[in-house]
Amino acid sequence: MLSKRIIPCLDVKDGRVVKGISFLGLVDAGDPVEMAGRYNREGADELVFLDITASSEGRKAMAEVVRRTAAEVFIPLTVGGGIAGLEDIDRLLHAGADKVSLNTAAVLEPALIGAAARKYGCQCIVAAVDAKRKADRNGWEVYIYGGKKPVGLDAVDWCKQVEQLGAGEILLTSIDCDGKKEGYDLELTAKVAESVGIPVIASGGAGTSADFYHVFQKGKADAALAASLFHYGKLEIRELKRYLQTSGIAVRL
Amino acid sequence: MKLAIVDYGAGNIYSLEKALWHIGVETVVTSERRVLEGCSGIVLPGVAAFNDAALRIRDHDLSEVLRRQVKEGKLLLGICLGMQLFFEESEEGGCVPRTEGLGLLKGKVVRLPEGLKVPHMGWNTLEITKQGRALKGIGSGSFSYFVHSYYASAAETDCISATTDYGVQIPAVLEKDNVVGMQFHPEKSGETGMQILKNIKEMLK
């Protein structure tokens, strides 16, 4: 039976893992390759590196991080953040990434999804969608540039569209829930998961083991992503998976 | 001991190379007959689309080369789409006439049924049906990583060493003499996958 996936996400800047600390901003949190190895040993099903570097120098560092990780860790590795075109995708896949996630670039140039899927296969292309509930509470709107700019697209419609364009998977982040640790947006996740025929990774809001249970059960997600929860050692992946297994969710243990 | 990875001209084979290097297998990516003939084994990797890969094989006149190498006893490993190319034909791509596969195994490749999430993506359990060489040390219930939209239907059942359950029973490992196919990606399947690749390395000797 296909298991539900638990995916830790690492924010990487200039080739180093960073984490945000209140009042201090971003602080160095270690070597991404080491952390990837640790998550792999703890039972992570996949890994996501999110490149939050702004400079092109830093982007080269990302490819190097991917190269070193892919030589040691043999589970699927997705890289996202700032990917603008086929050249970026090519560089990351060459370095050993298995998938790339496209966010802002996919909204600005939807044809990129199709072009990338034809060149590398749908399985390589993850559409990352950042969604925020509309002010009138009637559905969700897509945001780009790291959740800063609304683009007037309905999130569920956009998810259906990225599937048509050739994306193999959707990484769906709730801007409303992100960082609050009060649980995933179950309504948004379920709505998208029921509207598309490709797998959906839920992201944003995980605070407890029960949140994962709910996003699989009520949110109908195929995978759940979390960053800080695993990062700060608040929840250990294997422990989480044992909890999910006893709750009747199929996981890889 | 060198393993040739057949180059379809597209797709992501870098993870596969890295996994093979990790266990001390040298690789060469090629679509040249002489290089293929000079290697101890050949891999058809699991990326690209069926038609593109089948056409590439035809354009480089590789079908005959591959069939002859198999006949001479060389190990041929097919991963995911690479395994699907072992069969006679595939529904993928919807070309008329349909692009032919290598015909090393009987049967055809069909799309996963309606109502299932496609691609079948993620970790699924293996049900071992026959203890072949490729699965030495691997027990039923072991997880491996799948990503595919088509699967081998009507396969010769006596070739099937393992299946996986995704609403339909999907042949996961196929073994017929020196031809070994896997629907999942061993290079992405953690320790289980590395053990399977080590078994393949043993078979190269």
Side-chain angles (χ1 to χ4, degrees):
Chain A
M1 190 180 176
L2 186 66
S3 62
K4 299 289 188 186
R5 289 170 280 153
I6 302 295
I7 307 177
C9 174
L10 292 167
D11 289 343
V12 180
K13 188 169 189 285
D14 300 318
R16 298 286 293 176
V17 178
V18 288
K19 44 184 176 184
I21 308 250
S22 310
F23 310 115
L24 286 175
L26 294 175
V27 297
D28 187 286
D31 177 28
V33 185
E34 259 171 51
M35 298 208 53
R38 199 191 89 201
Y39 284 145
N40 178 36
R41 285 189 296 279
E42 287 180 3
D45 294 308
E46 297 190 20
L47 296 167
V48 171
F49 283 158
L50 185 63
D51 192 356
I52 59 167
T53 310
S55 68
S56 58
E57 280 307 301
R59 299 219 170 275
K60 281 181 202 140
M62 189 69 218
E64 189 50 35
V65 164
V66 170
R67 187 168 293 117
R68 284 166 52 219
T69 307
E72 287 178 29
V73 178
F74 300 102
I75 58 175
L77 172 63
T78 302
V79 182
I83 296 170
L86 286 176
E87 266 176 40
D88 294 334
I89 297 173
D90 207 62
R91 189 178 66 241
L92 292 166
L93 294 180
H94 259 85
D98 299 288
K99 314 179 201 178
V100 289
S101 78
L102 304 176
N103 194 333
T104 301
V107 173
L108 298 179
E109 191 199 342
L112 180 62
I113 297 179
R118 272 191 302 280
K119 188 160 183 203
Y120 302 104
C122 300
Q123 81 287 344
C124 281
I125 309 304
V126 182
V129 178
D130 294 347
K132 190 174 177 184
R133 201 180 275 273
K134 292 174 190 167
D136 62 5
R137 313 282 300 164
N138 185 20
W140 297 263
E141 187 177 357
V142 176
Y143 280 63
I144 56 172
Y145 295 118
K148 288 189 197 80
K149 188 176 180 250
V151 288
L153 279 170
D154 177 80
V156 177
D157 287 345
W158 175 238
C159 287
K160 287 186 202 165
Q161 206 182 329
V162 297
E163 177 184 16
Q164 291 304 317
L165 289 165
E169 198 173 22
I170 290 170
L171 168 54
L172 179 65
T173 302
S174 158
I175 297 173
D176 305 295
C177 298
D178 201 25
K180 295 211 176 103
K181 297 194 166 40
E182 290 168 359
Y184 294 94
D185 188 331
L186 302 179
E187 204 186 325
L188 167 69
T189 310
K191 188 90 187 166
V192 170
E194 283 165 356
S195 305
V196 297
I198 53 178
V200 174
I201 306 169
S203 157
T208 64
S209 296
D211 294 337
F212 288 85
Y213 173 78
H214 292 309
V215 85
F216 291 134
Q217 196 71 358
K218 293 197 192 113
K220 302 191 168 58
D222 300 281
L225 178 139
S228 56
L229 194 60
F230 299 133
H231 207 134
Y232 292 103
K234 294 230 168 67
L235 192 57
E236 204 257 350
I237 295 171
R238 202 169 304 276
E239 220 173 279
L240 165 64
K241 285 180 142 187
R242 285 201 191 101
Y243 163 83
L244 290 170
Q245 192 174 51
T246 25
S247 314
I249 304 284
V251 288
R252 177 180 72 114
L253 268 171
Chain B
M1 189 168 56
K2 201 183 256 186
L3 203 50
I5 300 175
V6 176
D7 182 11
Y8 310 130
N12 174 13
I13 49 156
Y14 313 103
S15 313
L16 176 62
E17 280 197 291
K18 279 165 195 276
L20 289 166
W21 297 342
H22 190 75
I23 56 164
V25 176
E26 223 186 308
T27 58
V28 56
V29 180
T30 185
S31 51
E32 280 181 45
R33 181 175 61 89
R34 288 213 178 139
V35 181
L36 291 169
E37 286 170 352
C39 286
S40 341
I42 300 170
V43 190
L44 291 173
V47 281
F50 189 93
N51 284 338
D52 293 348
L55 287 174
R56 180 89 176 178
I57 284 174
R58 197 187 65 190
D59 292 348
H60 284 254
D61 295 321
L62 291 181
S63 305
E64 265 320 300
V65 179
L66 291 169
R67 285 195 204 100
R68 196 170 57 245
Q69 292 291 306
V70 165
K71 206 173 273 176
E72 285 171 10
K74 191 169 284 183
L75 177 82
L76 179 65
L77 170 65
I79 296 173
C80 197
L81 166 80
M83 177 207 83
Q84 297 178 0
L85 287 167
F86 290 170
F87 290 89
E88 291 157 314
E89 61 171 326
S90 172
E91 284 182 359
E92 190 182 342
C95 285
V96 182
R98 280 183 177 153
T99 328
E100 279 181 29
L102 292 166
L104 294 167
L105 296 177
K106 287 202 170 56
K108 69 173 187 173
V109 177
V110 297
R111 186 155 173 99
L112 286 165
E114 293 278 322
L116 295 172
K117 286 234 170 177
V118 178
H120 169 215
M121 182 185 283
W123 297 83
N124 207 334
T125 44
L126 298 178
E127 184 65 41
I128 312 285
T129 49
K130 185 182 81 179
Q131 200 60 57
R133 288 190 293 170
L135 293 173
K136 213 171 78 186
I138 306 293
S140 277
S142 300
F143 282 92
S144 49
Y145 191 82
F146 290 81
V147 192
H148 62 114
S149 306
Y150 294 80
Y151 73 106
S153 160
E156 296 169 76
T157 48
D158 53 342
C159 302
I160 300 174
S161 301
T163 59
T164 195
D165 181 9
Y166 189 53
V168 283
Q169 287 296 319
I170 296 169
V173 180
L174 293 149
E175 289 181 86
K176 188 179 182 184
D177 304 320
N178 46 326
V179 175
V180 181
M182 289 162 202
Q183 183 56 71
F184 55 88
H185 287 264
E187 75 276 18
K188 286 289 121 193
S189 295
E191 282 174 30
T192 299
M194 290 314 267
Q195 180 56 48
I196 291 170
L197 289 177
K198 282 178 192 162
N199 293 342
I200 295 294
K201 184 185 175 186
E202 284 300 306
M203 291 165 76
L204 287 173
K205 285 175 184 165

